[in-house]
């Protein structure tokens, strides 16, 4: 509570999550797909607080519904990448040095590329589509989690309680599941909080390029793409989706960084 910046970021992120969960049924009685030719490119007003787009659809409604898709993709891709990273990173940390070295050289090669570029490579192989976007973003995020999980595994495996368990003859698989993996989850969970913002940006970027869901799907990147050519005529069509993307990513990143600092005992 003493960290005002972190508190504001947490509140903003909670507002976006709440909008994703309940706003489609409470605050937005309009259909995000319904067009109205009599309301084309109307500026923000009482009836349309975010204005209307080039087909007369309510931008506020589409932005709120877009939160469900964008946050769903970000959370789902991050969770999948986290699970794969834990499994592969733990196995690499427990494997013989030769196997660990080969695995980590491959991970380091992947880490040399930006995540968005890896997502583009993955979507080029999988093909465009909403499900493939989530898969591509998750695949691009996996190498970072593998590296962290492997580093934490190397630290935990040398701890006294792990050595004691081995000395008592506990099966190596049980040692890994009961002692090593649980003690690597906290730093990975904190990094995953930051990673949600990264995956949201990557998914929105792919949708902006036309590789994700297609119109009329209300998705933040697609909404931003649809309004980029209207900035001089109807700035609100692209402005509000862009603001929501920015606020969500910044708030998730700030919360994640504050959690990481708290876990490390730093102010």
């Amino acid at each position: 509570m003493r960290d005002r910046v972190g508190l504001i970021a947490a509140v903003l992120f909670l507002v976006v999550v709440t909008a994703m969960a309940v706003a489609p049924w409470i605050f937005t009685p309009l259909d995000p797909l319904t067009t109205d030719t009599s309301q084309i490119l109307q500026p923000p007003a009482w009836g349309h607080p975010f204005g209307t787009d080039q087909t007369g659809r309510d931008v506020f409604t589409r932005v709120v519904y877009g939160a469900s898709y964008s946050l769903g993709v970000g959370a789902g891709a991050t969770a999948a990448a986290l699970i794969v990273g834990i499994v592969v990173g733990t196995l690499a940390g427990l494997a013989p040095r030769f196997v660990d070295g080969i695995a980590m050289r491959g991970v380091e090669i992947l880490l040399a590329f930006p995540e968005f570029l890896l997502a583009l490579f993955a979507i080029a192989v999988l093909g465009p589509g909403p499900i493939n976007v989530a898969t591509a973003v998750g695949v691009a995020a996996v190498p970072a989690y593998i590296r962290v999980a492997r580093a934490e595994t190397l630290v935990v495996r040398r701890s006294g309680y792990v050595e004691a368990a081995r000395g008592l003859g506990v099966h190596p698989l049980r040692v890994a599941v009961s002692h090593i993996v649980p003690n690597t989850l906290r730093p990975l969970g904190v990094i995953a909080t930051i990673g949600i913002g990264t995956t949201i940006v990557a998914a929105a970027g792919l949708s902006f390029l036309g590789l994700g869901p297609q119109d009329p799907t209300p998705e933040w990147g697609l909404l931003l793409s649809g309004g980029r050519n209207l900035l001089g005529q109807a700035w609100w069509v692209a402005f509000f989706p862009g603001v929501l993307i920015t606020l969500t990513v910044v708030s998730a990143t700030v919360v994640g960084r504050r959690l990481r600092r708290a876990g490390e005992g730093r102010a």
Side-chain angles (χ1 to χ4, degrees):
M1 296 298 294
R2 292 192 299 268
D3 185 356
R4 293 184 179 181
V5 175
L7 181 61
I8 293 172
V11 170
L12 285 174
F13 190 71
L14 182 61
V15 168
V16 175
V17 173
T18 303
M20 177 191 71
V22 303
W25 294 274
I26 297 178
F27 301 113
T28 57
L30 300 177
D31 189 331
L33 307 181
T34 300
T35 61
D36 186 356
T37 55
S38 65
Q39 297 292 323
I40 292 177
L41 297 180
Q42 294 296 311
W46 179 256
H48 301 285
F50 288 1
T52 61
D53 64 8
Q54 58 271 37
T55 60
R57 295 172 297 199
D58 184 64
V59 176
F60 176 74
T61 302
R62 291 178 62 76
V63 167
V64 170
Y65 275 85
S68 300
Y69 182 89
S70 297
L71 284 179
V73 169
T78 301
L82 180 62
I83 293 172
V84 174
I86 290 174
V87 173
V88 177
T90 302
L91 292 176
L94 296 176
R97 182 174 299 179
F98 175 74
V99 177
D100 177 38
I102 294 177
M104 293 312 298
R105 297 299 82 74
V107 170
E108 288 171 0
I109 291 174
L110 294 176
L111 287 172
F113 298 93
E115 282 191 19
F116 187 73
L117 186 58
L118 289 178
L120 280 176
F121 289 155
I123 205 70
V125 174
L126 298 173
I131 297 178
N132 290 345
V133 164
T135 304
V137 171
V139 169
V142 165
Y145 294 109
I146 292 177
R147 182 176 65 176
V148 175
R150 180 252 185 186
E152 293 295 326
T153 299
L154 291 177
V155 173
V156 175
R157 69 180 295 187
R158 296 184 177 92
S159 60
Y161 55 87
V162 173
E163 295 294 337
R166 289 176 175 174
L168 293 172
V170 179
H171 193 277
L173 180 60
R174 184 177 179 183
V175 172
V177 173
S178 301
H179 300 287
I180 295 178
V181 172
N183 288 282
T184 63
L185 291 180
R186 186 174 70 174
L188 285 168
V190 172
I191 294 174
T193 305
I194 302 175
I196 290 177
T198 304
T199 54
I200 289 175
V201 169
L206 293 175
S207 298
F208 183 87
L209 297 175
L211 300 174
Q214 302 299 313
D215 194 62
T217 303
E219 194 274 336
W220 285 348
L222 189 59
L223 297 179
L224 194 61
S225 176
R228 72 184 188 277
N229 295 325
L230 300 171
L231 289 175
Q233 180 183 2
W235 55 268
W236 55 87
V237 178
F239 175 77
F240 290 108
V243 167
L244 262 294
I245 293 173
T246 303
L247 289 178
T248 303
V249 173
V250 169
S251 60
T253 303
V254 170
V255 170
R257 290 182 182 275
R258 291 301 195 275
L259 290 175
R260 184 174 64 181
R261 290 179 181 179
E264 296 173 353
R266 296 187 289 120

